Amino acid sequence: MAAVPGGAPRIPSVRIGPIDLAARVDEALAVQAVAFGLSPEEVEVRRHIVLRHLDHPHARALGATTPGDRLVGFVYGMPNERGQWWSTVVEPYLRATGSAHWLDDSFVITELHVLPEFQNLGIGRTLITTVTDAVEQPRSILSAIDAESPARGLYRSLGYQDLARQVLFPSAPKPYAVMGAPLPLRRAH
């Protein structure tokens, strides 16, 4: 296996590397819509959110592309700031579990999605470990639907632990869990 910058393994027939997510936002949201089951209305709302996030000077994005440059997965995130919307929503839940300090000096994984036919190939693992390997923060936080799922299993295998559960986001139909892990993320043995 060849390696990409940062020593991450290269997934057969898929390249993991930096992408201009703002230029490819519609492709990325198409991946998210399939992987996460979003309606066209939800995609449009998320488009504006993603573009706003990418204005952050320390936002980082990676993509998984096929040899034909088809985007089949992506991850992006940024350093957490307590004034950001996501942080203000999760803070009371984290405070209730004694975990509010996780909001300081952490890198938030904002989105991580891989098309279903490309899942279980190590692409999501490589995306998240590669993006977090390049940050200065000592820990990472994220939110995921609060249900047993392959995504939650992946996060746990990387060292993420539940910091708060049954977190309710406005207009989200299902509760979420907020998870945190020290960096660098745990590697498979």
Side-chain angles (χ1 to χ4, degrees):
M1 271 188 185
V4 294
R10 184 175 182 155
I11 308 303
S13 75
V14 173
R15 179 188 164 278
I16 306 288
I19 59 167
D20 181 348
L21 189 56
R24 298 186 80 160
V25 68
D26 293 323
E27 289 175 85
L29 289 172
V31 169
Q32 185 176 3
V34 172
F36 209 56
L38 300 178
S39 71
E41 296 79 19
E42 290 171 309
V43 167
E44 189 55 33
V45 168
R46 288 176 185 247
R47 185 177 199 281
H48 297 290
I49 293 168
V50 171
L51 292 173
R52 187 176 67 242
H53 286 162
L54 295 175
D55 282 341
H56 191 285
H58 300 290
R60 298 181 177 273
L62 297 175
T65 53
T66 65
D69 201 37
R70 176 182 175 211
L71 187 68
V72 298
F74 73 99
V75 65
Y76 85 92
M78 66 191 104
N80 189 61
E81 295 173 4
R82 289 222 182 206
Q84 293 169 338
W85 177 85
W86 181 87
S87 192
T88 63
V89 172
V90 303
E91 184 174 11
Y93 294 93
L94 293 176
R95 214 176 320 110
T97 63
S99 303
H101 64 280
W102 277 84
L103 294 172
D104 299 318
D105 209 15
S106 61
F107 187 82
V108 179
I109 299 299
T110 308
E111 300 290 349
L112 171 62
H113 300 285
V114 177
L115 287 174
E117 63 267 31
F118 288 87
Q119 292 176 4
N120 299 311
L121 300 174
I123 294 170
R125 175 179 301 277
T126 301
L127 284 166
I128 194 170
T129 56
T130 304
V131 79
T132 57
D133 280 351
V135 304
E136 296 177 7
Q137 291 75 24
R139 57 184 159 227
S140 174
I141 54 177
L142 56 79
S143 55
I145 292 176
D146 193 2
E148 292 311 310
S149 66
R152 295 279 306 280
L154 168 64
Y155 301 144
R156 284 191 189 102
S157 75
L158 293 165
Y160 285 91
Q161 296 179 10
D162 291 344
L163 302 175
R165 299 194 60 194
Q166 297 298 301
V167 175
L168 301 174
F169 288 100
S171 77
K174 297 178 183 177
Y176 279 70
V178 176
M179 303 178 79
L183 295 178
L185 294 175
R186 185 184 309 145
R187 299 309 202 258
H189 299 291

